[in-house]
């Protein structure tokens, strides 16, 4: 949703996920900064699983 980038980034920061250094957000965009390139796949998988679980509950 437009205007929710900052809220989404704050929610992700509050999760204190391993390997996530922080995030930068705009109005409807977000950049998640991961500590090392080899950990990116793990973070992507984590978010894909979150989205998948949400879709099954709709």
């Amino acid at each position: 949703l437009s205007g929710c980038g900052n809220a989404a980034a704050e929610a992700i920061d509050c999760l204190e996920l391993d390997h996530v250094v922080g995030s930068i957000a705009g109005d409807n965009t977000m950049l998640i900064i991961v500590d090392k390139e080899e950990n990116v796949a793990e973070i992507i998988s984590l978010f894909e699983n979150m989205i998948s679980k949400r879709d099954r509950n709709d």
Side-chain angles (χ1 to χ4, degrees):
L1 297 171
S2 185
C4 294
N6 288 317
E10 176 66 17
I12 289 168
D13 288 344
C14 287
L15 292 174
E16 298 183 2
L17 300 172
D18 290 339
H19 310 300
V20 174
V21 176
S23 63
I24 299 171
D27 189 48
N28 62 354
T29 59
M30 179 178 14
L31 169 68
I32 298 170
I33 302 161
V34 179
D35 59 359
K36 297 179 183 174
E37 185 176 354
E38 57 264 24
N39 295 326
V40 171
E42 178 182 337
I43 298 301
I44 290 172
S45 178
L46 180 102
F47 286 116
E48 287 174 339
N49 287 334
M50 286 181 184
I51 292 167
S52 174
K53 287 178 183 177
R54 182 189 158 275
D55 289 344
R56 285 190 297 239
N57 291 329
D58 285 348

